[in-house]
Amino acid sequence: MPRNDNSCPFVVEKSEVVLVKPSKPTPDVTLSLSTIDNDPNNEVILDILCVFSPNPYVRDHTNYHPASFIQLALSNALVYYYPLAGKLHRRTSDQTLQLDCTQGDGVPLIKATASCTLSSLNYLESGNHLEATYQLVPSHDTLKGCNLGYRPLALQITKFTCGGMTIGSVHSHTVCDGIGMAQFSQAILELAAGRAQPTVIPVWDRHMITSNQISTLCKLGNDKKDPKLVDVEKACSSPDTPTEDMVREILNITSEDITKLKNIIIEDENLTNEKEKNMKITTVEVLAAYVWRARCRAMKLNPDTITDLVISVSIRSSIEPPLPEGYYGNAFTHASVALTAKELSKTPMSRLVRLIKDAKRAALDNGYVCEQLREMENTMKLKLASKEIHGGVFMMLTDWRHLGLDQDVWGGLVNIIPLVPLTLPFLCVLLPASKAVPGKSGGVRVLTTLPRDAMAKFKEEIDAVLHP
Protein backbone atom coordinates (compact mmCIF):
# COMPACT_ATOMS: atom_id res chain seq x y z
CA MET A 1 0.00 0.00 0.00
CA PRO A 2 1.29 3.50 -0.74
CA ARG A 3 2.51 5.54 2.18
CA ASN A 4 2.26 9.28 1.84
CA ASP A 5 3.27 12.17 4.02
CA ASN A 6 2.94 15.85 3.20
CA SER A 7 6.51 16.38 4.41
CA CYS A 8 7.85 13.44 2.41
CA PRO A 9 9.43 14.06 -1.02
CA PHE A 10 8.46 10.63 -2.38
CA VAL A 11 5.95 7.81 -2.04
CA VAL A 12 6.88 4.15 -1.48
CA GLU A 13 4.59 1.28 -2.41
CA LYS A 14 5.34 -1.95 -0.56
CA SER A 15 4.35 -5.54 -1.34
CA GLU A 16 3.46 -8.20 1.20
CA VAL A 17 6.29 -9.63 3.31
CA VAL A 18 7.92 -12.79 1.92
CA LEU A 19 9.81 -15.16 4.24
CA VAL A 20 13.05 -16.11 2.48
CA LYS A 21 14.41 -19.47 3.64
CA PRO A 22 17.86 -21.03 3.11
CA SER A 23 18.15 -22.70 -0.30
CA LYS A 24 19.54 -25.87 1.31
CA PRO A 25 18.81 -27.70 4.60
CA THR A 26 20.41 -26.11 7.68
CA PRO A 27 20.93 -27.47 11.22
CA ASP A 28 18.27 -27.50 13.92
CA VAL A 29 20.31 -26.05 16.75
CA THR A 30 20.19 -23.71 19.75
CA LEU A 31 23.10 -21.27 19.82
CA SER A 32 24.52 -19.26 22.70
CA LEU A 33 25.96 -15.78 22.24
CA SER A 34 29.04 -13.98 23.49
CA THR A 35 29.22 -11.73 26.53
CA ILE A 36 29.26 -8.60 24.36
CA ASP A 37 26.30 -9.92 22.34
CA ASN A 38 24.45 -10.39 25.63
CA ASP A 39 25.01 -6.83 26.84
CA PRO A 40 21.48 -5.36 27.23
CA ASN A 41 22.73 -2.11 25.69
CA ASN A 42 23.33 -4.04 22.46
CA GLU A 43 19.80 -5.44 22.34
CA VAL A 44 18.63 -2.67 20.05
CA ILE A 45 17.34 -2.73 16.49
CA LEU A 46 19.50 -0.91 13.96
CA ASP A 47 18.09 0.58 10.74
CA ILE A 48 20.63 0.75 7.91
CA LEU A 49 20.21 1.91 4.34
CA CYS A 50 22.54 1.10 1.42
CA VAL A 51 22.10 3.18 -1.74
CA PHE A 52 23.03 1.79 -5.18
CA SER A 53 23.47 3.72 -8.42
CA PRO A 54 21.05 3.22 -11.33
CA ASN A 55 21.36 0.05 -13.38
CA PRO A 56 20.75 0.64 -17.12
CA TYR A 57 18.94 -2.69 -17.59
CA VAL A 58 16.38 -1.92 -14.90
CA ARG A 59 15.96 1.63 -16.16
CA ASP A 60 15.08 0.25 -19.60
CA HIS A 61 12.97 -2.69 -18.34
CA THR A 62 10.38 -1.16 -16.08
CA ASN A 63 8.76 -4.50 -15.21
CA TYR A 64 11.97 -5.92 -13.74
CA HIS A 65 12.55 -5.54 -9.99
CA PRO A 66 15.95 -6.10 -8.30
CA ALA A 67 14.26 -7.88 -5.39
CA SER A 68 14.13 -11.02 -7.54
CA PHE A 69 17.90 -11.51 -7.75
CA ILE A 70 18.49 -10.25 -4.19
CA GLN A 71 15.93 -12.78 -2.92
CA LEU A 72 17.79 -15.64 -4.62
CA ALA A 73 21.16 -14.41 -3.32
CA LEU A 74 19.73 -14.02 0.20
CA SER A 75 18.39 -17.58 0.12
CA ASN A 76 21.83 -18.88 -0.88
CA ALA A 77 23.60 -16.70 1.70
CA LEU A 78 21.40 -18.07 4.51
CA VAL A 79 22.87 -21.52 3.93
CA TYR A 80 26.03 -20.05 5.45
CA TYR A 81 24.36 -17.50 7.74
CA TYR A 82 21.37 -19.58 8.90
CA PRO A 83 21.51 -18.11 12.47
CA LEU A 84 20.23 -14.83 10.99
CA ALA A 85 17.01 -16.69 10.10
CA GLY A 86 16.53 -17.95 13.67
CA LYS A 87 14.64 -16.56 16.65
CA LEU A 88 16.13 -14.62 19.57
CA HIS A 89 14.95 -14.63 23.17
CA ARG A 90 16.37 -14.19 26.69
CA ARG A 91 16.29 -17.10 29.11
CA THR A 92 14.44 -16.31 32.31
CA SER A 93 16.91 -18.33 34.41
CA ASP A 94 20.04 -16.25 33.77
CA GLN A 95 18.96 -13.46 31.37
CA THR A 96 21.30 -14.70 28.65
CA LEU A 97 20.30 -14.63 25.01
CA GLN A 98 19.55 -17.77 23.05
CA LEU A 99 19.16 -18.17 19.29
CA ASP A 100 16.93 -21.03 18.16
CA CYS A 101 17.47 -22.23 14.60
CA THR A 102 14.99 -24.67 13.03
CA GLN A 103 14.00 -25.83 9.57
CA GLY A 104 11.47 -23.48 8.05
CA ASP A 105 13.01 -20.35 9.54
CA GLY A 106 13.66 -17.43 7.22
CA VAL A 107 14.33 -13.72 6.83
CA PRO A 108 11.39 -11.38 6.06
CA LEU A 109 11.86 -9.59 2.72
CA ILE A 110 9.79 -6.72 1.33
CA LYS A 111 9.72 -5.64 -2.32
CA ALA A 112 9.03 -1.92 -2.74
CA THR A 113 8.92 0.79 -5.41
CA ALA A 114 9.65 4.50 -4.93
CA SER A 115 8.02 7.25 -6.99
CA CYS A 116 11.18 9.25 -7.75
CA THR A 117 14.78 9.07 -8.90
CA LEU A 118 17.71 8.79 -6.53
CA SER A 119 19.30 11.89 -8.06
CA SER A 120 16.25 13.94 -7.03
CA LEU A 121 17.12 12.99 -3.45
CA ASN A 122 20.84 13.65 -4.01
CA TYR A 123 21.34 9.93 -3.37
CA LEU A 124 20.35 10.68 0.24
CA GLU A 125 23.83 12.12 0.66
CA SER A 126 23.06 15.30 2.59
CA GLY A 127 20.75 13.95 5.27
CA ASN A 128 17.95 16.34 4.27
CA HIS A 129 15.49 13.46 3.88
CA LEU A 130 16.53 11.28 6.82
CA GLU A 131 13.02 11.07 8.27
CA ALA A 132 11.51 10.09 4.92
CA THR A 133 14.08 7.32 4.52
CA TYR A 134 12.28 5.27 7.17
CA GLN A 135 9.95 4.34 4.32
CA LEU A 136 12.92 2.50 2.79
CA VAL A 137 13.52 0.09 5.69
CA PRO A 138 11.17 -2.55 7.12
CA SER A 139 9.06 -1.72 10.14
CA HIS A 140 10.38 -3.16 13.39
CA ASP A 141 7.06 -5.00 13.64
CA THR A 142 8.35 -7.18 10.78
CA LEU A 143 10.67 -8.85 13.29
CA LYS A 144 7.81 -9.82 15.57
CA GLY A 145 5.07 -12.42 15.19
CA CYS A 146 7.11 -15.43 16.32
CA ASN A 147 5.85 -17.87 18.92
CA LEU A 148 9.20 -17.68 20.67
CA GLY A 149 11.23 -14.47 20.69
CA TYR A 150 11.80 -12.31 17.63
CA ARG A 151 13.63 -12.47 14.33
CA PRO A 152 17.07 -10.82 14.21
CA LEU A 153 16.86 -9.51 10.62
CA ALA A 154 14.50 -8.18 7.94
CA LEU A 155 15.25 -6.59 4.54
CA GLN A 156 13.53 -4.28 2.08
CA ILE A 157 14.57 -3.83 -1.57
CA THR A 158 13.28 -0.56 -3.05
CA LYS A 159 13.48 0.18 -6.77
CA PHE A 160 13.60 3.82 -7.94
CA THR A 161 12.36 5.13 -11.28
CA CYS A 162 15.94 5.75 -12.45
CA GLY A 163 16.84 2.06 -12.09
CA GLY A 164 18.71 2.58 -8.82
CA MET A 165 17.83 0.75 -5.64
CA THR A 166 18.22 0.80 -1.89
CA ILE A 167 18.64 -2.16 0.42
CA GLY A 168 17.18 -1.30 3.79
CA SER A 169 17.76 -3.57 6.77
CA VAL A 170 16.65 -3.76 10.35
CA HIS A 171 18.68 -6.10 12.53
CA SER A 172 19.35 -6.83 16.16
CA HIS A 173 22.74 -5.57 17.32
CA THR A 174 22.94 -8.64 19.57
CA VAL A 175 23.68 -10.95 16.63
CA CYS A 176 26.31 -8.92 14.79
CA ASP A 177 28.06 -5.56 14.90
CA GLY A 178 28.64 -3.27 11.93
CA ILE A 179 31.58 -5.28 10.62
CA GLY A 180 29.61 -8.52 10.96
CA MET A 181 26.57 -7.10 9.19
CA ALA A 182 28.77 -5.75 6.40
CA GLN A 183 30.31 -9.22 6.02
CA PHE A 184 26.84 -10.73 5.59
CA SER A 185 25.77 -7.99 3.17
CA GLN A 186 28.95 -8.51 1.17
CA ALA A 187 28.14 -12.22 0.92
CA ILE A 188 24.69 -11.42 -0.52
CA LEU A 189 26.19 -9.04 -3.08
CA GLU A 190 28.89 -11.56 -4.09
CA LEU A 191 26.35 -14.34 -4.58
CA ALA A 192 24.10 -11.95 -6.51
CA ALA A 193 27.08 -11.19 -8.77
CA GLY A 194 27.45 -14.90 -9.58
CA ARG A 195 30.03 -16.24 -7.13
CA ALA A 196 29.61 -19.88 -6.11
CA GLN A 197 30.19 -19.06 -2.44
CA PRO A 198 31.11 -16.04 -0.31
CA THR A 199 34.76 -14.99 -0.24
CA VAL A 200 34.65 -15.08 3.58
CA ILE A 201 32.98 -18.14 5.13
CA PRO A 202 31.22 -17.14 8.38
CA VAL A 203 32.28 -18.49 11.78
CA TRP A 204 29.99 -18.51 14.86
CA ASP A 205 32.41 -19.31 17.76
CA ARG A 206 30.73 -16.88 20.19
CA HIS A 207 32.37 -18.69 23.14
CA MET A 208 35.61 -16.91 22.23
CA ILE A 209 34.42 -13.63 23.75
CA THR A 210 33.65 -14.51 27.37
CA SER A 211 35.61 -13.64 30.49
CA ASN A 212 36.52 -17.30 31.07
CA GLN A 213 37.99 -17.62 27.58
CA ILE A 214 40.05 -14.43 27.76
CA SER A 215 40.97 -14.62 31.48
CA THR A 216 43.05 -17.75 30.84
CA LEU A 217 45.26 -15.56 28.68
CA CYS A 218 45.59 -12.66 31.13
CA LYS A 219 48.83 -12.70 33.08
CA LEU A 220 48.44 -13.05 36.83
CA GLY A 221 49.70 -10.08 38.74
CA ASN A 222 48.58 -7.47 36.21
CA ASP A 223 47.06 -4.38 37.71
CA LYS A 224 43.31 -4.75 37.74
CA LYS A 225 41.81 -2.70 34.97
CA ASP A 226 38.84 -0.46 35.61
CA PRO A 227 36.59 -0.46 32.56
CA LYS A 228 33.55 1.79 32.58
CA LEU A 229 30.31 0.40 31.19
CA VAL A 230 27.97 2.80 29.46
CA ASP A 231 24.50 2.85 30.98
CA VAL A 232 22.56 4.07 27.96
CA GLU A 233 19.18 4.10 29.72
CA LYS A 234 20.51 6.20 32.59
CA ALA A 235 22.32 8.50 30.17
CA CYS A 236 19.16 9.13 28.15
CA SER A 237 17.20 9.96 31.30
CA SER A 238 19.83 12.34 32.65
CA PRO A 239 18.59 15.93 33.08
CA ASP A 240 21.67 17.07 31.15
CA THR A 241 20.72 15.01 28.08
CA PRO A 242 18.79 17.12 25.52
CA THR A 243 15.42 15.78 24.37
CA GLU A 244 13.45 18.64 22.77
CA ASP A 245 13.51 20.00 19.20
CA MET A 246 16.25 17.59 18.14
CA VAL A 247 17.71 17.61 14.63
CA ARG A 248 20.03 15.17 12.93
CA GLU A 249 22.48 16.24 10.24
CA ILE A 250 25.37 14.87 8.20
CA LEU A 251 28.40 17.15 7.88
CA ASN A 252 30.93 16.67 5.09
CA ILE A 253 34.57 16.89 6.11
CA THR A 254 36.93 16.80 3.12
CA SER A 255 40.29 15.04 3.05
CA GLU A 256 41.89 18.49 2.88
CA ASP A 257 39.99 19.50 6.03
CA ILE A 258 41.22 16.40 7.85
CA THR A 259 44.82 17.09 6.84
CA LYS A 260 44.43 20.66 8.06
CA LEU A 261 43.07 19.54 11.43
CA LYS A 262 45.96 17.09 11.86
CA ASN A 263 48.51 19.76 10.99
CA ILE A 264 47.02 22.15 13.53
CA ILE A 265 47.55 19.53 16.24
CA ILE A 266 51.05 18.64 15.09
CA GLU A 267 52.02 22.30 15.10
CA ASP A 268 50.46 22.87 18.52
CA GLU A 269 52.88 24.77 20.74
CA ASN A 270 52.42 22.18 23.47
CA LEU A 271 54.12 19.48 21.36
CA THR A 272 57.60 20.19 22.61
CA ASN A 273 59.51 16.92 22.47
CA GLU A 274 60.50 14.94 19.41
CA LYS A 275 58.37 11.92 20.38
CA GLU A 276 55.19 13.95 20.36
CA LYS A 277 56.18 15.87 17.23
CA ASN A 278 56.36 12.56 15.40
CA MET A 279 53.11 11.34 16.91
CA LYS A 280 50.91 9.61 14.32
CA ILE A 281 47.39 10.99 14.45
CA THR A 282 44.50 9.00 13.01
CA THR A 283 41.39 10.47 11.42
CA VAL A 284 39.24 8.99 14.19
CA GLU A 285 41.35 10.63 16.88
CA VAL A 286 41.39 14.08 15.32
CA LEU A 287 37.67 14.09 14.50
CA ALA A 288 36.78 12.70 17.92
CA ALA A 289 38.63 15.56 19.60
CA TYR A 290 37.20 18.36 17.46
CA VAL A 291 33.63 17.05 17.32
CA TRP A 292 33.55 16.33 21.08
CA ARG A 293 34.73 19.84 21.91
CA ALA A 294 32.41 21.50 19.38
CA ARG A 295 29.39 19.59 20.73
CA CYS A 296 30.26 20.52 24.31
CA ARG A 297 30.57 24.21 23.47
CA ALA A 298 27.41 24.15 21.37
CA MET A 299 25.37 22.67 24.23
CA LYS A 300 26.63 25.38 26.63
CA LEU A 301 27.16 22.95 29.49
CA ASN A 302 27.87 24.05 33.04
CA PRO A 303 31.68 24.37 33.29
CA ASP A 304 31.79 21.81 36.12
CA THR A 305 29.67 19.21 34.32
CA ILE A 306 31.63 16.06 33.57
CA THR A 307 31.35 14.90 29.97
CA ASP A 308 32.64 11.64 28.49
CA LEU A 309 33.89 10.68 25.08
CA VAL A 310 33.29 6.99 24.38
CA ILE A 311 34.81 5.37 21.28
CA SER A 312 33.98 1.89 20.03
CA VAL A 313 37.26 0.01 19.45
CA SER A 314 37.45 -3.26 17.53
CA ILE A 315 39.16 -6.15 19.35
CA ARG A 316 39.05 -8.58 16.42
CA SER A 317 42.82 -8.76 16.00
CA SER A 318 43.98 -7.58 19.43
CA ILE A 319 42.71 -10.31 21.76
CA GLU A 320 44.67 -13.54 22.10
CA PRO A 321 44.09 -15.73 20.27
CA PRO A 322 42.73 -13.42 17.56
CA LEU A 323 39.22 -14.08 16.39
CA PRO A 324 39.04 -16.26 13.28
CA GLU A 325 38.37 -14.73 9.88
CA GLY A 326 34.63 -14.81 9.31
CA TYR A 327 33.62 -14.09 12.92
CA TYR A 328 30.58 -11.85 12.64
CA GLY A 329 29.49 -11.30 16.23
CA ASN A 330 30.01 -8.18 18.32
CA ALA A 331 33.74 -7.69 18.83
CA PHE A 332 34.43 -4.28 20.30
CA THR A 333 35.20 -2.58 23.56
CA HIS A 334 34.87 1.02 24.68
CA ALA A 335 37.65 3.54 25.18
CA SER A 336 36.59 6.50 27.29
CA VAL A 337 37.93 9.90 28.32
CA ALA A 338 36.25 12.08 30.96
CA LEU A 339 36.73 15.84 31.42
CA THR A 340 34.72 18.70 32.83
CA ALA A 341 33.14 20.97 30.24
CA LYS A 342 35.64 23.67 31.20
CA GLU A 343 38.61 21.31 30.79
CA LEU A 344 37.34 20.10 27.43
CA SER A 345 36.93 23.65 26.18
CA LYS A 346 40.33 24.88 27.40
CA THR A 347 42.62 21.85 27.04
CA PRO A 348 45.03 22.11 24.09
CA MET A 349 43.89 19.97 21.18
CA SER A 350 47.18 18.06 21.18
CA ARG A 351 46.51 17.05 24.80
CA LEU A 352 42.99 15.85 23.91
CA VAL A 353 44.36 13.70 21.13
CA ARG A 354 46.96 12.24 23.49
CA LEU A 355 44.23 11.36 26.02
CA ILE A 356 42.19 9.71 23.27
CA LYS A 357 45.19 7.70 22.02
CA ASP A 358 45.98 6.52 25.55
CA ALA A 359 42.36 5.49 26.13
CA LYS A 360 42.26 3.50 22.88
CA ARG A 361 45.51 1.76 23.76
CA ALA A 362 44.24 0.83 27.22
CA ALA A 363 40.96 -0.51 25.78
CA LEU A 364 42.88 -3.03 23.65
CA ASP A 365 44.69 -4.54 26.63
CA ASN A 366 43.55 -8.12 27.32
CA GLY A 367 43.26 -7.36 31.03
CA TYR A 368 40.95 -4.42 30.33
CA VAL A 369 38.82 -6.50 27.96
CA CYS A 370 38.64 -9.35 30.47
CA GLU A 371 37.48 -7.04 33.28
CA GLN A 372 34.91 -5.40 31.02
CA LEU A 373 33.48 -8.83 30.12
CA ARG A 374 33.36 -9.82 33.81
CA GLU A 375 31.53 -6.61 34.61
CA MET A 376 28.97 -7.28 31.87
CA GLU A 377 28.45 -10.86 33.06
CA ASN A 378 28.01 -9.84 36.71
CA THR A 379 25.58 -7.12 35.70
CA MET A 380 23.40 -9.68 33.93
CA LYS A 381 23.60 -12.35 36.63
CA LEU A 382 22.74 -9.94 39.44
CA LYS A 383 20.27 -7.98 37.28
CA LEU A 384 22.05 -4.79 38.29
CA ALA A 385 22.23 -1.55 36.37
CA SER A 386 25.52 -0.89 34.62
CA LYS A 387 27.88 1.53 36.29
CA GLU A 388 26.97 5.04 35.31
CA ILE A 389 29.67 6.58 33.20
CA HIS A 390 29.22 10.22 34.31
CA GLY A 391 25.68 11.57 34.50
CA GLY A 392 24.82 10.93 30.89
CA VAL A 393 26.58 13.90 29.21
CA PHE A 394 28.62 11.89 26.77
CA MET A 395 29.31 11.37 23.10
CA MET A 396 29.65 7.86 21.74
CA LEU A 397 31.65 7.70 18.50
CA THR A 398 31.60 4.76 16.11
CA ASP A 399 33.48 4.49 12.81
CA TRP A 400 31.66 3.04 9.78
CA ARG A 401 34.20 4.06 7.13
CA HIS A 402 35.80 0.64 6.67
CA LEU A 403 32.95 -1.85 6.81
CA GLY A 404 34.11 -3.58 3.62
CA LEU A 405 31.08 -3.12 1.35
CA ASP A 406 33.17 -2.97 -1.81
CA GLN A 407 31.35 -5.29 -4.20
CA ASP A 408 30.66 -3.53 -7.52
CA VAL A 409 27.23 -5.03 -8.07
CA TRP A 410 24.15 -3.42 -9.58
CA GLY A 411 25.22 0.15 -10.34
CA GLY A 412 27.67 0.19 -7.44
CA LEU A 413 27.21 1.11 -3.78
CA VAL A 414 27.38 4.89 -3.46
CA ASN A 415 26.09 5.59 0.04
CA ILE A 416 25.46 3.94 3.39
CA ILE A 417 23.33 5.56 6.09
CA PRO A 418 22.49 4.45 9.64
CA LEU A 419 19.07 5.80 10.61
CA VAL A 420 19.99 6.89 14.12
CA PRO A 421 16.89 7.69 16.23
CA LEU A 422 16.59 11.22 17.58
CA THR A 423 16.21 9.56 20.99
CA LEU A 424 19.93 8.67 20.88
CA PRO A 425 21.47 12.15 20.67
CA PHE A 426 24.79 11.01 22.11
CA LEU A 427 25.58 8.74 19.14
CA CYS A 428 27.94 10.14 16.52
CA VAL A 429 28.83 8.09 13.42
CA LEU A 430 31.74 8.56 11.02
CA LEU A 431 30.64 7.57 7.50
CA PRO A 432 32.60 7.17 4.26
CA ALA A 433 32.30 9.93 1.69
CA SER A 434 29.43 9.38 -0.71
CA LYS A 435 30.52 8.14 -4.13
CA ALA A 436 27.59 10.02 -5.63
CA VAL A 437 29.45 13.30 -5.13
CA PRO A 438 32.58 13.68 -7.31
CA GLY A 439 35.77 14.88 -5.67
CA LYS A 440 34.99 13.80 -2.11
CA SER A 441 37.14 10.68 -2.05
CA GLY A 442 38.99 10.34 1.24
CA GLY A 443 36.63 12.62 3.09
CA VAL A 444 34.38 11.75 6.02
CA ARG A 445 30.72 12.43 6.72
CA VAL A 446 29.89 13.04 10.38
CA LEU A 447 26.35 12.11 11.45
CA THR A 448 25.35 13.84 14.66
CA THR A 449 22.18 14.78 16.59
CA LEU A 450 21.70 17.92 18.67
CA PRO A 451 19.00 20.42 19.70
CA ARG A 452 18.26 22.74 16.77
CA ASP A 453 19.91 25.81 18.32
CA ALA A 454 22.93 23.79 19.42
CA MET A 455 23.31 22.30 15.91
CA ALA A 456 23.72 25.77 14.42
CA LYS A 457 26.36 26.60 17.05
CA PHE A 458 28.07 23.23 16.52
CA LYS A 459 28.51 23.92 12.80
CA GLU A 460 29.86 27.39 13.61
CA GLU A 461 32.46 25.84 15.94
CA ILE A 462 33.60 23.38 13.28
CA ASP A 463 33.65 26.04 10.57
CA ALA A 464 35.67 28.39 12.79
CA VAL A 465 38.45 25.81 12.97
CA LEU A 466 38.41 24.90 9.27
CA HIS A 467 37.95 28.44 7.94
CA PRO A 468 39.31 30.88 10.55
Side-chain angles (χ1 to χ4, degrees):
M1 294 292 293
R3 295 176 58 184
N4 203 350
D5 188 323
N6 291 334
S7 63
C8 180
F10 58 95
V11 176
V12 174
E13 184 174 353
K14 299 186 179 185
S15 66
E16 294 297 322
V17 177
V18 174
L19 192 65
V20 180
K21 302 176 183 179
S23 60
K24 297 178 181 178
T26 55
D28 286 353
V29 64
T30 296
L31 299 171
S32 59
L33 290 95
S34 76
T35 296
I36 301 178
D37 295 336
N38 270 289
D39 182 0
N41 285 328
N42 285 331
E43 197 171 7
V44 295
I45 304 300
L46 299 182
D47 301 61
I48 302 173
L49 193 63
C50 294
V51 183
F52 292 82
S53 288
N55 179 288
Y57 179 86
V58 178
R59 183 185 58 219
D60 298 335
H61 296 77
T62 56
N63 291 331
Y64 181 80
H65 198 289
S68 57
F69 87 98
I70 293 293
Q71 181 172 337
L72 177 60
L74 172 61
S75 181
N76 291 331
L78 290 175
V79 174
Y80 302 92
Y81 289 90
Y82 63 88
L84 296 182
K87 300 179 185 67
L88 272 168
H89 69 96
R90 282 196 183 270
R91 290 156 38 114
T92 56
S93 57
D94 59 6
Q95 295 300 304
T96 59
L97 285 163
Q98 187 169 288
L99 186 59
D100 296 321
C101 307
T102 57
Q103 292 290 329
D105 286 339
V107 170
L109 177 70
I110 300 171
K111 182 171 82 171
T113 303
S115 62
C116 65
T117 65
L118 281 169
S119 60
S120 70
L121 303 175
N122 196 25
Y123 291 86
L124 303 171
E125 193 273 337
S126 65
N128 292 336
H129 306 299
L130 283 178
E131 291 307 313
T133 53
Y134 279 104
Q135 292 187 99
L136 303 176
V137 296
S139 162
H140 290 191
D141 290 340
T142 311
L143 302 177
K144 301 175 183 178
C146 304
N147 293 330
L148 179 64
Y150 62 95
R151 303 184 192 281
L153 173 69
L155 299 175
Q156 177 178 319
I157 314 301
T158 305
K159 171 188 171 183
F160 287 76
T161 57
C162 58
M165 74 168 177
T166 57
I167 300 180
S169 66
V170 291
H171 82 276
S172 175
H173 204 320
T174 59
V175 175
C176 50
D177 58 12
I179 294 175
M181 191 61 188
Q183 178 183 306
F184 171 64
S185 300
Q186 186 78 7
I188 294 176
L189 296 178
E190 288 178 345
L191 293 172
R195 287 182 180 269
Q197 67 178 36
T199 300
V200 178
I201 303 300
V203 175
W204 188 254
D205 286 0
R206 303 302 170 98
H207 67 279
M208 294 191 68
I209 303 187
T210 62
S211 63
N212 287 339
Q213 175 73 12
I214 296 180
S215 64
T216 60
L217 303 164
C218 297
K219 294 180 181 179
L220 294 176
N222 278 2
D223 292 337
K224 184 177 179 181
K225 307 299 178 180
D226 184 26
K228 297 180 177 65
L229 300 187
V230 179
D231 186 348
V232 173
E233 182 177 355
K234 189 172 290 186
C236 289
S237 62
S238 166
D240 294 308
T241 300
T243 58
E244 296 182 359
D245 195 21
M246 306 299 291
V247 293
R248 179 180 50 203
E249 292 197 23
I250 297 176
L251 278 66
N252 283 295
I253 309 293
T254 67
S255 58
E256 293 78 14
D257 290 337
I258 294 169
T259 299
K260 182 175 183 178
L261 293 176
K262 289 180 179 179
N263 288 337
I264 291 173
I265 294 173
I266 291 172
E267 295 168 3
D268 191 294
E269 63 183 1
N270 289 281
L271 296 179
T272 56
N273 61 62
E274 289 301 317
K275 181 179 178 181
E276 289 193 338
K277 285 182 180 179
N278 296 322
M279 176 176 65
K280 182 179 179 181
I281 304 171
T282 69
T283 297
V284 169
E285 291 159 357
V286 70
L287 289 181
Y290 278 103
V291 171
W292 185 28
R293 170 180 281 178
R295 280 175 57 93
C296 174
R297 289 177 173 175
M299 292 172 65
K300 299 179 180 179
L301 298 176
N302 183 299
D304 296 325
T305 298
I306 298 178
T307 176
D308 291 81
L309 169 67
V310 180
I311 302 177
S312 296
V313 181
S314 174
I315 57 173
R316 274 177 159 75
S317 59
S318 64
I319 61 173
E320 293 293 340
L323 296 173
E325 182 183 24
Y327 186 91
Y328 61 106
N330 288 286
F332 63 89
T333 187
H334 290 127
S336 62
V337 180
L339 295 171
T340 65
K342 180 179 180 180
E343 289 171 334
L344 177 55
S345 184
K346 301 296 184 183
T347 298
M349 195 57 68
S350 57
R351 173 62 178 161
L352 287 182
V353 170
R354 176 64 65 186
L355 291 172
I356 292 168
K357 291 182 78 69
D358 290 346
K360 286 171 58 184
R361 187 182 304 111
L364 292 175
D365 179 84
N366 264 1
Y368 181 99
V369 174
C370 181
E371 289 299 325
Q372 187 169 66
L373 296 181
R374 283 201 187 105
E375 186 70 24
M376 289 179 183
E377 290 162 359
N378 289 336
T379 293
M380 267 189 306
K381 287 177 183 176
L382 301 175
K383 299 182 181 180
L384 296 174
S386 301
K387 289 182 178 178
E388 182 179 7
I389 195 157
H390 274 117
V393 185
F394 73 100
M395 182 183 94
M396 180 177 287
L397 182 73
T398 182
D399 185 5
W400 281 34
R401 293 174 303 135
H402 307 295
L403 294 185
L405 283 168
D406 304 320
Q407 190 70 15
D408 189 17
V409 70
W410 204 247
L413 178 67
V414 296
N415 204 354
I416 181 169
I417 308 166
L419 305 185
V420 178
L422 294 176
T423 54
L424 300 178
F426 55 82
L427 187 58
C428 182
V429 186
L430 302 185
L431 300 168
S434 172
K435 294 180 182 178
V437 182
K440 289 195 176 180
S441 176
V444 179
R445 291 178 302 147
V446 180
L447 186 153
T448 190
T449 305
L450 282 167
R452 191 176 304 276
D453 292 344
M455 181 66 78
K457 177 63 176 173
F458 169 74
K459 290 190 286 188
E460 288 177 8
E461 288 284 342
I462 295 293
D463 191 63
V465 176
L466 295 177
H467 310 101

